[in-house]
Amino acid sequence: MKYCIGEFASILGVTSDTLRLYEKHDIVRPIKDNSNNYRYFDDLDARDLLMSRWYRSMEIPLQDVALLIKGASSGQIIEKFQETQLNLEEEIKKSTLLLNKMIEINNEFKRIEGSLNTCTLKDVPGIYRLRQTHKNDLLINDYLKDTVNEWMNMLPFSFYSFRIENTDILSATNTCCDYNWGLSLLEDEVHKLNVEIDENVEYISPTRCVSAVIISSGEESIKRDSLQFMLDYLEEHQYSIAGDIIGKIILTEKIEGESRTYLEVNIPI
């Protein structure tokens, strides 16, 4: 039997636009009536269309579906299914990593209020890091451009962190710390994401830290006074600083035109 495009689309549960798209890819081949310019589809078109939709339901690209419909051996079909399966497994792996990261970030958000200006002990994992600023001024490092571009594409696994030399924070005369910012990746996520590490990347070893959340204005430098309560906690519990202070941005909020950034600060002990 022969069917006009509207009737054929209705019978098969697709739209006329879908039929036109599949016709464009030569999956269905309607016969054109030159007397009225109508296109008519037949039962063979129905079989090819349904088979094509079955392939598409498994995320096989339409251009590949067209090749399978036009002519493919069982071996070629099996090979395409195996390729699609591997691609799906990789997508699931990436989505699972992203979901776990979002859960981790959401848990950090929930802990902000309880951690604000409150010291706790925390085991901070190893971190790989690119130094990109001196205080808030960007450094021009041509040799870092490719790595920065790669790590930016790894958001939200990469994050912006700061580093303060412990000798600087211990100086009572310094009101503004000598810090730097840079993109960072946790050590275990470097391995999960198969990131290549070169000589331009610095490594911060896992360590036990006194940890707290502080608030900084958008344009404000990190000042010693904002960390004084942590230094007092160290003295009270007879802890000594065992390395450079590290931290990261948790989130930045903007209320009535004023921005405030919540920073996690970790002092190794």
Side-chain angles (χ1 to χ4, degrees):
M1 291 185 63
K2 297 187 183 304
Y3 311 88
C4 66
I5 187 169
E7 182 184 21
F8 193 65
S10 177
I11 292 172
L12 295 179
V14 298
T15 65
S16 297
D17 286 341
T18 297
L19 281 179
R20 294 187 184 96
L21 177 63
Y22 278 55
E23 181 184 353
K24 180 180 178 181
H25 284 272
D26 201 29
I27 293 172
V28 292
R29 304 173 184 86
I31 298 172
K32 187 175 181 180
D33 188 333
N34 292 325
S35 65
N36 56 19
N37 286 328
Y38 284 3
R39 298 193 307 283
Y40 293 97
F41 299 83
D42 60 23
D43 297 315
L44 182 59
D45 289 320
R47 186 197 67 182
D48 287 343
L49 179 68
L50 292 171
M51 198 67 189
S52 299
R53 298 289 284 179
W54 185 67
Y55 286 141
R56 285 292 294 126
S57 71
M58 286 170 281
E59 303 297 326
I60 297 177
L62 188 55
Q63 60 268 26
D64 292 340
V65 169
L67 294 175
L68 295 178
I69 293 296
K70 290 175 186 177
S73 66
S74 60
Q76 291 172 317
I77 294 171
I78 291 170
E79 182 180 350
K80 177 54 65 176
F81 268 65
Q82 289 174 337
E83 176 189 330
T84 304
Q85 176 185 328
L86 290 174
N87 291 338
L88 181 58
E89 288 173 352
E90 185 63 26
E91 288 179 15
I92 291 172
K93 177 183 175 182
K94 290 179 180 178
S95 294
T96 301
L97 286 172
L98 179 58
L99 175 60
N100 290 336
K101 192 65 179 179
M102 291 182 69
I103 292 172
E104 176 190 320
I105 292 170
N106 270 316
N107 287 335
E108 286 183 340
F109 291 165
K110 293 174 183 177
R111 290 193 294 265
I112 285 179
E113 186 175 345
S115 301
L116 189 59
N117 297 327
T118 301
C119 294
T120 59
L121 295 181
K122 178 179 179 178
D123 291 316
V124 177
I127 297 172
Y128 288 96
R129 186 172 182 274
L130 301 171
R131 179 177 176 178
Q132 294 175 272
T133 78
H134 174 68
K135 294 186 179 177
N136 292 331
D137 297 327
L138 285 169
L139 302 176
I140 301 175
N141 293 324
D142 290 338
Y143 59 85
L144 281 181
K145 286 182 179 178
D146 289 341
T147 306
V148 169
N149 183 62
E150 179 187 359
W151 285 29
M152 284 295 289
N153 289 332
M154 292 182 185
L155 293 166
F157 301 100
S158 56
F159 57 94
Y160 220 33
S161 72
F162 63 86
R163 185 172 189 171
I164 305 171
E165 292 187 13
N166 64 14
T167 53
D168 184 73
I169 196 67
L170 290 175
S171 172
T173 60
N174 286 338
T175 58
C176 181
C177 302
D178 192 7
Y179 60 89
N180 61 78
W181 288 92
L183 276 172
S184 302
L185 283 164
L186 296 180
E187 183 173 12
D188 64 333
E189 290 178 347
V190 164
H191 300 312
K192 289 177 184 177
L193 299 170
N194 298 317
V195 181
E196 293 186 9
I197 301 298
D198 60 31
E199 67 277 3
N200 299 316
V201 179
E202 61 186 30
Y203 176 67
I204 301 172
S205 300
T207 184
R208 199 100 199 274
C209 294
V210 170
S211 182
V213 174
I214 65 171
I215 294 177
S216 173
S217 72
E219 299 179 357
E220 186 179 76
S221 299
I222 300 175
K223 297 180 179 179
R224 188 182 189 280
D225 288 349
S226 63
L227 306 180
Q228 187 59 53
F229 74 97
M230 299 184 74
L231 300 178
D232 293 341
Y233 181 91
L234 293 174
E235 183 177 356
E236 178 185 351
H237 292 79
Q238 299 182 339
Y239 293 132
S240 58
I241 300 179
D244 290 348
I245 298 168
I246 55 173
K248 66 177 183 179
I249 294 175
I250 301 177
L251 64 81
T252 297
E253 63 180 4
K254 183 167 286 189
I255 301 174
E256 296 181 352
E258 293 187 6
S259 62
R260 303 196 311 169
T261 299
Y262 292 80
L263 303 176
E264 178 187 291
V265 181
N266 299 300
I267 304 178
I269 55 174

